Amino acid sequence: MKLAFYDDFRLGVVQGNKIVDVSEVVANKSSLKPNDLINHIIENFQLYEDPIKSSAANGDPISITQVKFQSPLPKPGKIVCMAINYLEGGPDSKMPPINGFLKSPNSVAGDDDTVNLPSAKASIFEHEAELGVVIGKTASNVGRSTAYEYVFGYLNVVDISARDLGNPPYDSYFPIKSWSNFAPMGPYLVTKDEISDPQNINVKLWVNNKLNQTFSTSSMAHKIPECIEWISSITTLDPGDVIATGTNHLDLGPLQDSDNVEMEVEGLGRIHFKVIDHLKREWPRETRADKAAREAAGS
Amino acid sequence: MKFATFNDSRIGIVIDSAIVDVTEANLGINAVTAQGLLNGIMENFDSLRTKLDEIALSGSRVPVSSVKLGPPVPRPGKIVAMAVNYMENGALKEKPPIHAFLKSRNAIIGPGDTIILPKSEAKVFHHEAELGVVIGKEGTNIAVESAFDHVFGYMNFIDVSARGLSGGNFFWNKSWDTFAPIGPYIVTKNEIADPQALPIKLTVNGVLRQELSTSDMAHNVAACIAWISSITTLDPGDIIATGTNHQGLGAIQDDDVIEMEISGLGSLKVNVRDDLKRQWPTEIDSTFADRMAGRA
């Protein structure tokens, strides 16, 4: 099932290019804020799955082009991001040590939202396309063998990063990663039954229609169950928490004023956002790999 | 006014050694959790204040000793913790650059609770006594001059820290479950005349470890609020831990009892458990203190 919030955070189910209003199912929960509502649905999905399905079957589908998607997880309890979690030199690369950081719950943006680059003097702003894993039930000290029992579903996450801010050598993830709208997530949330092998799907990101990132989750260093095991050994995961599983950094590229970005993990739909930079800063329109190739060629 | 949570999910006002339950008071707040009710009280505090004062005066009082106090902010939206934010008793020549990290909200525990040291191979586990600021009003890009409009109150905050995991990665060192003891209550800002002149004391098993003043803070409360909110929106129920003076930090270990007190904010007492029964020196970590003060 593909769960969405749209327009004024109305609950909907996406079917192909259509969306159906299923808000009648949660009509008695109108006092809950959108994120509390989606967390409630996630936590009690056994109770909600059938009513949502039948409401969707009886509803009146309209084209998704007629609605504005909001992020399905507008303010998660927490966003845990994996750091350096891809085998970037191919299958024989050295396994990086497992590591992560927290991103502010207030950094979420939805489909078709705008990312305003802050005036802070980052050396560059980059896109990081990532598979997002949504937690379905409270998880503390979960072993990898049972980790998928704690997964509710998946969604696209772009982990936008402002490089070289902060106070090195101290860990500086907060001022690099937590700016408003630096975590576009969506357009909707896909339940795990629809994704047969989350470790073998393609992740793609385009800037102004040019394909920058394309990689498979098969080259993830620490797989989803290991991430859940490690994170939940440190901090309890709650329903609706998001794990961003990391990116392959080889083809990261700059984000700058008026860029149109699209990102898609196979089976999770496509999220779009626009970039605004009031300072109109400019960086060469090349990925890290392009830059390395250019420098190797001596130009 | 002092707000506490007690007996799982009740909200109360503490008056001297008694508490008045306000959970069922007709405050016009539609909330399903203790945190939701607390956020509603904080967001609407100006208009609810007279009513809350009346309830505090007329409501039935039970001794605080007869209830189980919980963490006064049971489920913050987020915890932003300032890093390297004291002048180390004036030892630093220049203010360190303003800096912070996020600590998991699931790390919260309350008075009388127990810090559980993880089996992870940290070099040591330290206590960091900090002034905790509780946000009452949403804000983005808050100006220094209006920063206190967004403050609801203050509380004791211990930023329990593992050292040496992954070269100092903050998530790994700071976000363990039970690593954020807070309380015993939130004291509303009107009761604290000058948050930048508060003595802070922390003892372990009755022996003094940390003794500092918020006057030694590098970036004051207002500057922290302005800077954080320039990056990420602050919400009612968010906590800012304003950093510690590292002179006086020391190891915490199995069976320790930690007591922390900021003048006017009550005393927060928590226990420590380590199933591995690891042992570290029981005195102040002077090597660490020297390093943070630039003496080493």
Side-chain angles (χ1 to χ4, degrees):
Chain A
M1 189 185 294
K2 298 180 173 72
L3 285 166
F5 278 134
Y6 68 101
D7 297 343
D8 56 349
F9 288 96
R10 190 160 282 270
L11 186 69
V13 170
V14 174
Q15 301 166 329
N17 292 323
K18 307 265 186 183
I19 187 164
V20 191
D21 180 354
V22 296
S23 54
E24 60 176 5
V25 178
V26 289
N28 63 343
K29 299 287 174 201
S30 59
S31 66
L32 293 182
K33 291 178 178 160
N35 209 85
D36 295 328
L37 177 63
I38 194 72
N39 286 355
H40 173 78
I41 294 168
I42 290 170
E43 194 173 0
N44 301 287
F45 197 60
Q46 282 173 319
L47 299 176
Y48 280 104
E49 187 172 11
D50 289 337
I52 289 175
K53 273 183 180 158
S54 73
S55 176
N58 297 324
D60 189 11
I62 55 168
S63 167
I64 55 172
T65 59
Q66 288 176 261
V67 304
K68 160 73 176 90
F69 280 117
Q70 305 292 349
S71 179
L73 294 162
K75 201 184 282 183
K78 54 190 174 297
I79 305 170
V80 187
C81 300
M82 301 306 295
I84 318 184
N85 196 33
Y86 272 82
L87 299 173
E88 301 185 353
D92 297 330
S93 4
K94 192 163 167 264
M95 183 67 77
I98 196 162
N99 211 348
F101 58 90
L102 294 167
K103 190 153 173 143
S104 173
N106 299 69
S107 62
V108 172
D111 184 43
D112 252 342
D113 281 350
T114 298
V115 175
N116 283 293
L117 301 184
S119 53
K121 292 192 173 80
S123 60
I124 191 170
F125 297 89
E126 286 183 318
H127 53 74
E128 297 189 354
E130 311 200 358
L131 168 65
V133 176
V134 181
I135 296 298
K137 61 179 183 182
T138 306
S140 175
N141 290 309
V142 167
R144 64 187 70 182
S145 59
T146 57
Y148 280 111
E149 293 171 24
Y150 296 83
V151 172
F152 178 75
Y154 304 96
L155 82 177
N156 297 308
V157 177
V158 185
D159 176 20
I160 300 177
S161 309
R163 303 294 173 200
D164 300 312
L165 295 177
N167 184 15
Y170 294 104
D171 163 346
S172 295
Y173 284 115
F174 175 66
I176 290 174
K177 300 280 195 173
S178 277
W179 298 89
S180 291
N181 285 12
F182 266 37
M185 279 190 201
Y188 38 73
L189 166 50
V190 179
T191 52
K192 64 178 171 187
D193 55 290
E194 293 202 12
I195 305 297
S196 59
D197 185 359
Q199 297 294 171
N200 191 22
I201 44 179
N202 291 313
V203 181
K204 291 190 163 86
L205 184 143
W206 298 260
V207 178
N208 303 325
N209 296 316
K210 178 184 169 276
L211 182 64
N212 269 10
Q213 287 190 269
T214 173
F215 60 94
S216 165
T217 57
S218 61
S219 57
M220 206 181 275
H222 303 278
K223 310 290 188 200
I224 294 164
E226 294 163 68
C227 296
I228 292 174
E229 177 180 275
W230 178 70
I231 295 165
S232 77
S233 77
I234 295 172
T235 183
T236 301
L237 288 164
D238 294 311
D241 282 359
V242 178
I243 300 174
T245 52
T247 198
N248 185 320
H249 294 73
L250 290 179
D251 291 308
L252 301 192
L255 294 176
Q256 46 202 310
D257 191 51
S258 351
D259 278 349
N260 284 297
V261 182
E262 294 174 66
M263 185 255 174
E264 181 171 340
V265 179
E266 209 177 335
L268 303 185
R270 191 176 289 200
I271 185 164
H272 314 71
F273 62 91
K274 192 181 173 76
V275 180
I276 298 282
D277 178 14
H278 293 291
L279 297 178
K280 314 278 182 201
R281 288 162 286 189
E282 288 188 80
W283 289 272
R285 292 197 171 276
E286 59 187 5
T287 65
R288 288 186 182 191
D290 296 338
K291 186 183 181 201
R294 177 171 57 79
E295 287 172 353
S299 66
Chain B
M1 206 175 289
K2 299 177 174 69
F3 286 91
T5 68
F6 66 103
N7 297 352
D8 278 342
S9 54
R10 314 296 296 179
I11 305 272
I13 297 172
V14 175
I15 305 150
D16 303 321
S17 56
I19 190 161
V20 177
D21 193 339
V22 299
T23 319
E24 311 297 336
N26 185 17
L27 301 172
I29 296 164
N30 206 340
V32 287
T33 61
Q35 185 68 52
L37 177 56
L38 183 66
N39 290 351
I41 290 173
M42 294 194 290
E43 281 171 281
N44 302 292
F45 190 58
D46 290 341
S47 57
L48 290 175
R49 189 154 187 174
T50 315
K51 191 164 195 176
L52 287 164
D53 274 330
E54 283 166 19
I55 298 168
L57 278 175
S58 60
S60 68
R61 298 183 181 193
V62 298
V64 171
S65 58
S66 70
V67 303
K68 166 74 176 94
L69 290 178
V73 186
R75 212 152 175 74
K78 59 186 170 295
I79 304 171
V80 187
M82 301 307 295
V84 202
N85 195 34
Y86 271 78
M87 302 305 285
E88 305 294 328
N89 295 336
L92 301 185
K93 290 182 187 72
E94 287 171 33
K95 282 186 187 186
I98 195 162
H99 196 45
F101 57 92
L102 295 167
K103 187 159 173 133
S104 173
R105 66 172 182 169
N106 297 70
I108 291 286
I109 58 172
D113 287 347
T114 299
I115 298 163
I116 297 171
L117 302 185
K119 295 190 173 76
S120 188
E121 285 168 10
K123 284 184 199 140
V124 68
F125 298 92
H126 278 161
H127 51 76
E128 296 189 352
E130 311 199 357
L131 171 66
V133 177
V134 182
I135 298 298
K137 196 172 111 187
E138 186 192 334
T140 307
N141 293 316
I142 299 165
V144 167
E145 303 76 52
S146 53
F148 287 103
D149 295 348
H150 297 265
V151 172
F152 178 70
Y154 305 96
M155 64 185 178
N156 295 300
F157 187 110
I158 306 176
D159 178 18
V160 180
S161 308
R163 301 291 179 202
L165 296 175
S166 184
N169 168 281
F170 281 129
F171 173 66
W172 207 333
N173 286 286
K174 301 280 196 173
S175 275
W176 298 91
D177 281 359
T178 75
F179 271 32
I182 55 171
Y185 36 67
I186 309 170
V187 177
T188 52
K189 63 181 171 189
N190 60 296
E191 293 197 14
I192 303 297
D194 183 0
Q196 301 299 157
L198 297 173
I200 302 179
K201 241 169 70 171
L202 184 144
T203 63
V204 175
N205 304 325
V207 179
L208 183 67
R209 287 271 181 90
Q210 288 188 268
E211 194 166 27
L212 56 143
S213 166
T214 57
S215 63
D216 189 46
M217 220 180 260
H219 303 279
N220 62 25
V221 172
C224 294
I225 290 172
W227 179 73
I228 294 166
S229 74
S230 77
I231 295 174
T232 188
T233 301
L234 286 167
D235 289 316
D238 284 356
I239 297 171
I240 300 173
T242 52
T244 200
N245 178 331
H246 300 77
Q247 310 303 305
L249 302 195
I252 56 171
Q253 45 205 313
D254 193 47
D255 274 338
D256 277 351
V257 176
I258 305 176
E259 199 164 356
M260 176 195 167
E261 184 165 1
I262 299 181
S263 183
L265 302 186
S267 163
L268 169 65
K269 206 172 181 177
V270 289
N271 311 298
V272 181
R273 196 182 97 201
D274 176 16
D275 291 338
L276 298 179
K277 315 281 180 198
R278 287 163 287 189
Q279 290 189 315
W280 289 276
T282 54
E283 64 259 23
I284 286 167
D285 189 337
S286 57
T287 312
F288 194 78
D290 286 346
R291 179 150 61 87
M292 295 308 290
R295 289 187 294 263

